């Protein structure tokens, strides 16, 4: 009886995996948005599904067009960094402070290279340690 339950569960997991691998990029983005809004799961986790599902059929290295700016550390002047994060994200003061206090955290995701560079410069000028992924 217990063995049947395990086999059924494994079949369900396999079916789910097959569905995830067959998603289009748009569907993956919609799934990522849903997971973030409903469960607080960051979209970067969904990107793993896309890259993992590509297999050997993926074209040679595509040029990256979307970048994530990640706050690694608030540095010595956290208040200044909080203000910059607030301005960049449009979040309230409390939410911006939470990002800085809980670093490393993404500040902005899926932005152009130019926007990512601009954000990095603002954060570094405020004393933060930042990286672009």
């Amino acid at each position: 009886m217990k063995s049947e339950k395990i086999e059924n569960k494994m079949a369900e997991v396999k079916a789910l995996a097959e569905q995830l691998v067959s998603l289009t990029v748009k569907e993956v983005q919609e799934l990522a948005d849903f997971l973030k809004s409903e469960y607080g799961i960051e979209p970067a986790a969904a990107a793993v599904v896309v890259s993992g599902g590509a297999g050997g059929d993926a074209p040679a290295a595509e040029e990256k067009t979307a970048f994530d700016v990640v706050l690694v550390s608030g540095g010595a002047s956290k208040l200044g960094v909080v203000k910059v994060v607030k301005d960049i994200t449009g979040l309230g003061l409390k939410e911006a402070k939470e990002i800085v206090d809980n670093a490393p955290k993404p500040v902005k995701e899926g932005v152009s290279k130019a926007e990512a560079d601009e954000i990095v410069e603002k954060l570094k000028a405020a004393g933060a340690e930042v990286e672009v992924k």
Side-chain angles (χ1 to χ4, degrees):
M1 186 64 129
K2 202 175 200 182
S3 178
E4 275 182 39
K5 286 183 181 180
I6 292 173
E7 287 177 24
N8 287 339
K9 191 55 114 177
M10 291 305 295
E12 289 175 19
V13 169
K14 183 178 179 184
L16 177 60
E18 288 172 1
Q19 287 176 329
L20 290 173
V21 169
S22 67
L23 292 176
T24 64
V25 173
K26 182 179 179 187
E27 291 169 331
V28 169
Q29 184 59 48
E30 289 170 357
L31 175 61
D33 293 342
F34 175 78
L35 290 173
K36 185 173 184 178
S37 67
E38 293 293 318
Y39 299 101
I41 298 172
E42 293 295 322
V48 173
V49 173
V50 174
S51 64
D57 299 343
E62 293 181 22
E63 187 174 332
K64 189 171 181 177
T65 58
F67 299 86
D68 298 339
V69 179
V70 178
L71 177 70
V72 177
S73 166
S77 177
K78 282 190 177 181
L79 182 58
V81 175
V82 169
K83 289 178 182 178
V84 173
V85 169
K86 180 182 175 291
D87 291 342
I88 290 169
T89 61
L91 294 172
L93 190 58
K94 179 181 176 188
E95 292 84 1
K97 184 180 182 305
E98 287 176 5
I99 289 174
V100 175
D101 288 344
N102 295 311
K105 284 282 191 187
V107 175
K108 205 79 159 165
E109 297 177 314
V111 296
S112 68
K113 178 69 172 156
E115 186 177 355
D117 289 342
E118 183 180 324
I119 292 169
V120 166
E121 289 304 314
K122 288 179 181 178
L123 287 167
K124 283 186 176 181
E129 185 180 338
V130 188
E131 62 182 38
V132 177
K133 294 185 176 186

